[in-house]
Amino acid sequence: MSEGSRGSPLAFGQVVIGPPGSGKSTYCQAMGAFLGRLGRSVAVVNLDPANEALPGPCALDIAELVTLPDVMASLGLGPNGGLIYCMEYLEANADWLRDRLQPLRGHYVLFDCPGQVELYTHHGALKNVFAQLAKWNFRLAAVHLVDSHYCTDPGKFISVLCTSLSTMLHVELPHVNVLSKMDLIEQYGKLAFNLDYYTEVLDLSYLVDHLASDPFFRNFRRLNEKLVEVIEDYSLVSFVPLNVQDKQSMRQVMQAVDKANGYSFGDQEHRSLEALMSAAVGADFHFSSTLAVQEKYVQSQDKAVEEEVMDL
């Protein structure tokens, strides 16, 4: 047993990752409040040195160790290079993180991570920090947030699928991909297919055919076909839809994460037979949740059409 894990009780949590603007900090605060109402002791840890306007309280802030503006000013680096340096600095000062996390034992920890995609696709610093957390007996799941508006653009959605797959393979943690901001998706246009097509990542050849109708993407059909083949060959990527204002949607994400990090199988909470069964047949609950979101989306679309007809 490693020095960091000797005598330490198990701790569960989530590392919340994703591109800038995907709603990571909002998710951490909303999920923290949701879990708190269920009786869990939750602690939010900010690991984003560029996050100067936290939407809520956090138990630990990386700003105590390093901040992006200081690094950029002292070393003459840009935002991307500065963030990479900050994560390497955090990795080199892992003892600082271990000591600060010690008082949080017994809490369910939400790690709010930076939004730079390179940190999750090929750079090793943050991945090594996650591995160190595992050695300290943290049982974590990666929650990868993706803005749902990418579903309205087939080209961008294929890009998101590639990024999600690369992140899953690089981070090497139990993984839950989440389509965030589902309550805003209707603002970005009509979906080409039903929502479950995007959440379950069904036969992507239809997406390639849809892209071929666009004169710009027609020249890249062969490339898109090969990208789709890679995604389908791995068969790893799927999404859980999320609206942080909807309790049922939050519950669905919570169940998916609890199964991923093993919390569902521990004794941290008293569970009824219904809760135990929901962990065993989560696919059915996931389908029901996706169907509910789809119905809300379709209703909003129908309402918009009715308003347009009335205006005419």
Side-chain angles (χ1 to χ4, degrees), residues 152-155 192-193 205-221 224-225:
T152 61
D153 187 320
F193 306 99
S205 62
Y206 293 103
L207 203 62
V208 175
D209 293 338
H210 187 74
L211 274 173
S213 63
D214 188 318
F216 176 80
F217 288 104
R218 190 176 300 135
N219 297 328
F220 302 97
R221 182 185 180 96
N224 288 322
E225 287 176 345

Side-chain angles (χ1 to χ4, degrees), residues 21-310:
S22 57
K24 296 183 295 297
S25 296
T26 301
Y27 169 86
C28 286
Q29 296 299 325
M31 182 57 73
F34 184 79
L35 295 177
R37 288 193 293 270
L38 295 179
R40 300 190 197 181
S41 298
V42 181
V44 177
V45 173
N46 177 42
L47 292 184
D48 185 359
N51 198 347
E52 298 178 335
L54 297 172
C58 60
L60 174 60
D61 191 349
I62 194 177
E64 300 172 18
L65 176 70
V66 63
T67 65
L68 180 60
D70 290 342
V71 168
M72 292 172 60
S74 59
L75 299 180
L77 296 173
N80 291 340
L83 267 176
I84 289 176
Y85 178 89
C86 289
M87 292 302 101
E88 292 175 344
Y89 191 78
L90 175 63
E91 179 189 6
N93 291 273
D95 291 345
W96 174 87
L97 182 60
R98 181 187 59 194
D99 294 341
R100 295 302 191 279
L101 288 174
Q102 198 61 39
L104 301 181
R105 287 292 177 176
H107 288 72
Y108 187 98
V109 185
L110 300 171
F111 294 91
D112 187 359
C113 298
Q116 189 174 357
V117 176
E118 297 94 314
L119 294 171
Y120 313 114
T121 56
H122 58 272
H123 194 267
L126 205 51
K127 170 186 173 181
N128 294 336
V129 171
F130 297 158
Q132 196 65 52
L133 288 168
K135 292 180 181 179
W136 300 335
N137 272 353
F138 280 90
R139 297 296 178 262
L140 302 172
V143 178
H144 182 221
L145 298 184
V146 174
D147 197 316
S148 60
H149 85 266
Y150 289 118
C151 295
T152 61
D153 187 320
K156 291 181 179 178
F157 187 65
I158 291 178
S159 176
V160 162
L161 291 174
C162 292
T163 302
S164 299
L165 177 60
S166 179
T167 300
M168 295 176 74
L169 297 175
H170 181 72
V171 171
E172 296 180 350
L173 283 175
H175 210 94
V176 177
N177 292 304
V178 174
L179 285 176
S180 63
K181 306 180 184 178
M182 287 303 304
D183 54 316
L184 302 177
I185 189 172
E186 65 270 12
Q187 297 181 9
Y188 300 106
K190 185 174 176 59
L191 297 180
F193 306 99
N194 287 339
L195 184 62
D196 60 344
Y197 178 86
Y198 300 92
T199 57
E200 299 299 331
V201 188
L202 302 175
D203 188 351
L204 296 179
S205 62
Y206 293 103
L207 203 62
V208 175
D209 293 338
H210 187 74
L211 274 173
S213 63
D214 188 318
F216 176 80
F217 288 104
R218 190 176 300 135
N219 297 328
F220 302 97
R221 182 185 180 96
R222 184 65 175 163
L223 173 61
N224 288 322
E225 287 176 345
K226 290 300 180 183
L227 291 175
V228 163
E229 285 179 14
V230 171
I231 296 165
E232 293 184 329
D233 285 347
Y234 276 97
S235 189
L236 291 175
V237 184
S238 62
F239 296 93
V240 181
L242 172 66
N243 173 7
V244 295
Q245 300 176 5
D246 183 5
K247 292 181 181 180
Q248 177 61 29
S249 178
M250 293 289 288
R251 177 174 175 265
Q252 182 61 37
V253 174
M254 179 200 71
Q255 288 179 327
V257 175
D258 283 353
K259 285 184 286 185
N261 64 15
Y263 190 93
S264 291
F265 312 107
D267 56 359
Q268 282 71 25
E269 292 176 342
H270 172 72
R271 293 177 178 80
S272 64
L273 179 61
E274 179 184 357
L276 183 62
M277 289 302 295
S278 70
V281 294
D284 295 334
F285 280 79
H286 174 67
F287 173 78
S288 299
S289 175
T290 303
L291 185 62
V293 175
Q294 172 69 19
E295 288 176 351
K296 292 180 181 178
Y297 172 76
V298 172
Q299 289 171 1
S300 66
Q301 289 289 329
D302 292 343
K303 183 178 179 181
V305 172
E306 290 176 2
E307 290 177 350
E308 290 180 359
V309 173
M310 291 296 294

